[in-house]
Amino acid sequence: MGTPEHDGIIIPIRGSQRAECVHLLAEDLPDVSDSAEFDAILQILQAEFALPDVWADVAEAYYCKGRPDLFRQVLHLLRDGLKEAGVQEEMEGNTEAQKREFRRGLVRVYNMLGALATQEAIKFKRAEDEERRMEMWDVAKHNLDVADTVVQYAEPTLLNKGWMAMNLSAGSTWKHAKYLFNNAITEANNRGGQNLMAMLGLAIHAFHVNTPAELRRARKLLGEVIRRHPQCPAEVRVGFGLCCYRLGEVDRAKAAFKRALVLSRGNRFAMLALARAELADAEPDEYLDTLDRVVRMQTAAYVQDEKDPLALVSLATYYLHKWFPVGAQAVRVVEGSEKVELEAARGAGDRPHRLERGDLIRIGPVFTCRVLDVVDVGGKGAEGR
């Protein structure tokens, strides 16, 4: 469900010889459901037998204003009104072109209701909300099934069913989501168009499969979305960079993350992804400087959203692991022992640092040790065991 800027909404007046219409500015729509102005708008829509597309325009304007409750109220009034005798026939018109326009608008309405229910279902993540979450999934499925009966295999319905299946988080539904996204792309190709949202859905599916072949496929799909729509959200470039990172293309990944930050300053997903890539690619003599930058980015992401799991995990990893790169010449290992001794008075870049009992130290790219004791070795500095 998109959120475009609405310059105005036009409601044609039935039977007007001069094609007169009522023109509404989206920003002037009343925000109170029980106001006389809100009731007047609904009465105009009903009296003029406005097509479903017009009702959808009004509802979408309310969604863009942050009022999903009024969005739902407008579309429910249309849905309930269609059950009254003669209303649907009046809206449909007489010609085949008019009937097609009516059906297309009706598909849009039910898809909007289905998409909103899907969004609300995703918000219920706690175990105690399971009943409410399943209720919203049922609402979403019902509306999308109705849309499918109006026009079978319509692109919006295939797309929204795909996102619904993907968010159910079950293996079989993910496979079904892939099938639906592929069909949406096929329908788009048949009309000579494109469906970028379906391409994003396929890219997410491929990324989670997480094999080299599927990661390359996800990278290709995301690159195609960026090429066709350069002003796409910065998160698309973050996804492209994550594919590159998992494929071992760290420099390319960092370039994608930095570009995302240029397009969306302070984007926390880009900052966290760049922090991870910078730290993984840090040279030993630049590690401490890199660590300073990484912690600043992680902290900035945390400040934006203190409940963001990615930001919390990133900061927790930093605080739990003090990673001091240690040269091989400073490590002593006794054969058969599970302990190592290392001179740890200086770390990366010959900067002194202080070890404490309980700290975790990474030796090379693989081995991690916990400091059991810190002793002074003849004025040579601290030694960790």
Side-chain angles (χ1 to χ4, degrees), residues 119-133:
Q119 289 180 2
E120 292 180 341
I122 294 170
K123 295 177 183 177
F124 295 111
K125 297 180 179 180
R126 299 181 304 175
E128 53 266 36
D129 295 330
E130 179 67 15
E131 184 177 347
R132 179 64 175 153
R133 186 172 73 92

Side-chain angles (χ1 to χ4, degrees), residues 48-311:
E48 301 303 331
F49 293 99
L51 288 172
D53 257 335
V54 180
W55 288 79
D57 286 341
V58 174
E60 193 168 357
Y62 274 118
Y63 184 86
C64 293
K65 288 165 71 74
R67 294 300 303 270
D69 54 329
L70 299 183
F71 165 93
R72 186 186 293 105
Q73 186 173 339
V74 170
L75 295 185
H76 282 181
L77 185 61
L78 167 64
R79 181 195 63 187
D80 296 340
L82 290 174
K83 300 175 183 177
E84 297 179 11
V87 172
Q88 180 165 331
E89 290 76 7
E90 183 68 29
M91 283 187 183
E92 279 185 317
N94 300 317
T95 69
E96 188 58 37
Q98 289 173 328
K99 293 180 184 297
R100 281 199 304 270
E101 184 179 3
F102 172 82
R103 290 194 296 269
R104 183 183 62 80
L106 207 55
V107 166
R108 180 185 172 196
V109 165
Y110 282 108
N111 269 278
M112 291 168 70
L113 287 170
L116 181 64
T118 297
Q119 289 180 2
E120 292 180 341
I122 294 170
K123 295 177 183 177
F124 295 111
K125 297 180 179 180
R126 299 181 304 175
E128 53 266 36
D129 295 330
E130 179 67 15
E131 184 177 347
R132 179 64 175 153
R133 186 172 73 92
M134 294 311 299
E135 179 185 335
M136 295 314 300
W137 283 132
D138 289 341
V139 171
K141 183 178 184 303
H142 169 74
N143 282 292
L144 295 176
D145 285 345
V146 172
D148 218 10
T149 61
V150 176
V151 177
Q152 198 170 20
Y153 303 126
E155 268 184 70
T157 310
L158 291 168
L159 181 63
N160 281 309
K161 281 189 171 185
W163 286 112
M164 178 183 169
M166 182 168 285
N167 280 289
L168 283 171
S169 301
S172 59
T173 61
W174 271 66
K175 292 179 181 179
H176 187 52
K178 180 180 179 181
Y179 165 80
L180 292 165
F181 290 141
N182 276 320
N183 281 351
I185 291 174
T186 300
E187 291 296 319
N189 293 337
N190 290 341
R191 63 173 173 80
Q194 56 192 19
N195 194 317
L196 300 185
M197 290 298 294
M199 293 172 65
L200 289 175
L202 285 178
I204 293 172
H205 180 277
F207 181 81
H208 281 275
V209 174
N210 199 29
T211 63
E214 288 298 297
L215 286 172
R216 285 191 291 270
R217 183 166 184 256
R219 183 185 61 187
K220 181 180 179 181
L221 285 165
L222 293 172
E224 185 66 15
V225 170
I226 294 169
R227 185 184 69 80
R228 295 186 183 187
H229 185 37
Q231 301 305 316
C232 61
E235 286 79 6
V236 178
R237 285 179 167 81
V238 174
F240 180 88
L242 289 174
C243 291
C244 295
Y245 181 80
R246 287 191 177 181
L247 289 168
E249 302 171 356
V250 180
D251 289 339
R252 195 177 182 186
K254 290 195 289 186
F257 300 146
K258 290 176 181 177
R259 179 59 180 164
L261 284 171
V262 170
L263 296 174
S264 177
R265 185 178 177 84
N267 185 290
R268 71 177 185 275
F269 302 109
M271 285 193 293
L272 292 171
L274 180 59
R276 180 176 181 179
E278 290 276 11
L279 198 58
D281 199 38
E283 295 293 337
D285 58 344
E286 300 175 351
Y287 179 78
L288 290 181
D289 288 334
T290 302
L291 185 61
D292 288 340
R293 294 197 306 274
V294 164
V295 173
R296 283 198 296 271
M297 286 189 284
Q298 292 173 336
T299 303
Y302 170 76
V303 169
Q304 285 187 35
D305 185 356
E306 296 181 357
K307 295 182 179 180
D308 184 347
L310 291 176

